[in-house]
Amino acid sequence: MRHLLRAFLLLLSALAPAACANLNFYPDEELEPLSLQAYEEATNEHGQITAGPQYEMVQRVAQKIAAASEEDFAWQARLLKADDTPNAFCLPNGRIAIYTGILPITQNEAGLAIVMGHEVAHAVLRHGGKRMTQGTLTNVGLAAVQAGLGLTEMGPDAKNGVMAALGVGAQVTVLLPFSREHESEADIEGLRYAIRAGYDPNEAPKLWERMAQLSGGNSTPEWLSTHPGSEARAQKLREMIPVLVEQEKGWRPKPPAGDQKQVAPGAIGK
Ligand SMILES: [Zn+2]
């Protein structure tokens, strides 16, 4: 019944596309099994690195960006072995993957925080579900999701389409760019997280300039195909830095759940 209702709603959204960039007919719990399977799929394809300074950096940045997002996800971060793939993603419910191939571009911990902030923002803003709602998912993928299939039960085309809609899009033949509106939201929100996490926001325009330079070359790395870097993007971020720094100067991480109860009223400052 729910699938039937959604088919009707999707039809309505197709009739009025301009108003629908932020509609989402895919609740978190419905995307959860797909997110879990897509994460394992990408991990199995590349293999992961589970020790060493790069791994530790990924874990450290993930922890800080997760706290800065204030989202109660089942956070996980993996460093995938793919030196020739400059890519990163964050699946619904906070499953982050950083490909080793993006580390030469991020160059330092703050650069990684900018990339991770951007990807986490896509997940927090539910861009995967919104994309599927907008009908940017291939027809065959849409049919599979509406039938309630898991990734393992889908044919290769449907599986690739769903993974691309959720933001993986690396090993698959389908490259599904996020809309300009979603990209720009993720840029700003991701930068906000990086600022809250204490990283230097000035790394953001520098990172996008490095991306723009790379995309001008012969090869087009995948993360660049789905995230077109540009001078205009770097410029926009440069303008937003002082605004966001001002907005976030009083931000403090939430204490872990449960700790608040141990602090008696009036105990702070004694
Ligand atoms: Zn993006």
Side-chain angles (χ1 to χ4, degrees), residues 263-270:
V263 181
I268 295 166
K270 283 188 182 170

Side-chain angles (χ1 to χ4, degrees), residues 88 115 118-119 121-122 127 131 177-179 182-184 186-187 208 223 226-228 233:
V115 164
H118 176 99
E119 294 304 323
H122 277 310
H127 286 166
R131 243 165 26 152
F178 281 102
S179 70
H182 286 174
E183 280 309 310
S184 138
D187 276 355
W208 285 112
W223 204 70
T226 52
H227 298 82
R233 195 167 194 173

Side-chain angles (χ1 to χ4, degrees), residues 2-76:
R2 192 165 68 176
H3 293 134
L4 200 65
L5 175 65
R6 188 163 57 213
F8 176 67
L9 292 171
L10 283 166
L11 179 68
L12 280 186
S13 75
L15 295 173
C20 295
N22 283 312
L23 280 180
N24 184 6
F25 298 144
Y26 293 92
D28 290 355
E29 61 270 22
E30 198 167 329
L31 293 181
E32 173 60 8
L34 296 174
S35 162
L36 197 58
Q37 289 163 17
Y39 205 41
E40 293 311 318
E41 187 91 16
T43 305
N44 289 340
E45 168 154 351
H46 298 291
Q48 55 174 326
I49 292 167
T50 55
Q54 290 185 332
Y55 167 80
E56 281 160 22
M57 177 174 69
V58 166
Q59 298 304 317
R60 191 165 57 238
V61 175
Q63 207 167 31
K64 290 185 189 178
I65 293 292
S69 78
E70 298 187 319
E71 185 69 61
D72 190 21
F73 279 158
W75 293 106
Q76 270 191 78

Side-chain angles (χ1 to χ4, degrees), residues 109-122:
E109 190 163 329
L112 178 62
I114 299 297
V115 164
M116 210 185 278
H118 176 99
E119 294 304 323
V120 163
H122 277 310

